[in-house]
Amino acid sequence: SLPMRAGQKLVGVLDVGSEQPQTFSEQDLQILRPVADYLALIIENSRLEQTQQRYTREQALIYESIVTLGTGLDSSNVLKLMAQKIAEAVEAGACLICQIDEKAGTITALARHIATQPGNPDQVWRTLDTPLPISRDPLAQKLIKSKRR
C-alpha cells in the first residue's frame, strides 16, 4: 500500500496486491510512487471541482434570491419560487418552507417544490397552509429544542 498525497494532504491509498508474497521490488515501488502521487492529484482536483460547482450553485441561488425578492411577486409566489431554487441548487428531491409559531405550538408549510424525477413522490407529508401541532412533527421539535440550548 502506498499513500496518495496531494501536497501534505493524504487523500487516499493505492493498494496493489498479488497472490505471491514479496512480489513487488524496489523498482516497482519507484514506478508506483509517482502513479500514487498523480492519482492523488486527480482525486484532489475532482474534490476541488465539486467544491467549486457547489459554490457556484450557492452564489447563483443568492443572486436569484435577490432578483426574486425584487420582482414584486406576492410572498406566497416568492416562497414557492425560492423552494424551487433551493431544491435545484442543492440537487434535492424536494424543498419545503415552513413557519413555526411557538406561541400557538404549530408548524405550517408555506411553500414547497417537488422535483419531477423517477421515484420521487408527487407530494410531501405536510399539507400547505394547514397548521400542524409541533407535537406531531419530530423535526420541528428537534429544531426548537436545539434553539433553546
Side-chain angles (χ1 to χ4, degrees), residues 41-55:
L41 290 175
I42 291 172
I43 290 170
E44 184 63 8
N45 284 343
S46 174
R47 186 193 67 76
L48 290 171
E49 185 178 325
Q50 289 172 354
T51 300
Q52 179 61 41
Q53 288 172 352
R54 181 173 180 92
Y55 176 77

Side-chain angles (χ1 to χ4, degrees), residues 50-75:
Q50 289 172 354
T51 300
Q52 179 61 41
Q53 288 172 352
R54 181 173 180 92
Y55 176 77
T56 301
R57 286 194 314 264
E58 289 170 356
Q59 293 303 307
L61 175 62
I62 290 168
Y63 174 76
E64 290 174 4
S65 299
I66 292 168
V67 169
T68 300
L69 292 172
T71 60
L73 292 173
D74 63 80
S75 62

Side-chain angles (χ1 to χ4, degrees), residues 31-110:
I31 293 169
L32 292 173
R33 280 188 190 106
V35 170
D37 291 341
Y38 180 71
L39 293 171
L41 290 175
I42 291 172
I43 290 170
E44 184 63 8
N45 284 343
S46 174
R47 186 193 67 76
L48 290 171
E49 185 178 325
Q50 289 172 354
T51 300
Q52 179 61 41
Q53 288 172 352
R54 181 173 180 92
Y55 176 77
T56 301
R57 286 194 314 264
E58 289 170 356
Q59 293 303 307
L61 175 62
I62 290 168
Y63 174 76
E64 290 174 4
S65 299
I66 292 168
V67 169
T68 300
L69 292 172
T71 60
L73 292 173
D74 63 80
S75 62
S76 176
N77 283 326
V78 168
L79 291 173
K80 185 176 178 182
L81 190 55
M82 290 307 303
Q84 177 185 346
K85 297 296 181 186
I86 291 166
E88 290 170 357
V90 297
E91 297 174 357
C95 177
L96 187 65
I97 298 173
C98 298
Q99 177 180 8
I100 292 179
D101 184 342
E102 286 187 76
K103 215 175 206 177
T106 60
I107 182 167
T108 305
L110 302 177

Side-chain angles (χ1 to χ4, degrees), residues 129-145:
D129 300 316
T130 303
L132 177 71
I134 291 173
S135 62
R136 291 186 38 210
D137 188 325
L139 182 57
Q141 290 174 16
K142 185 177 178 180
L143 289 171
I144 289 171
K145 188 176 182 181

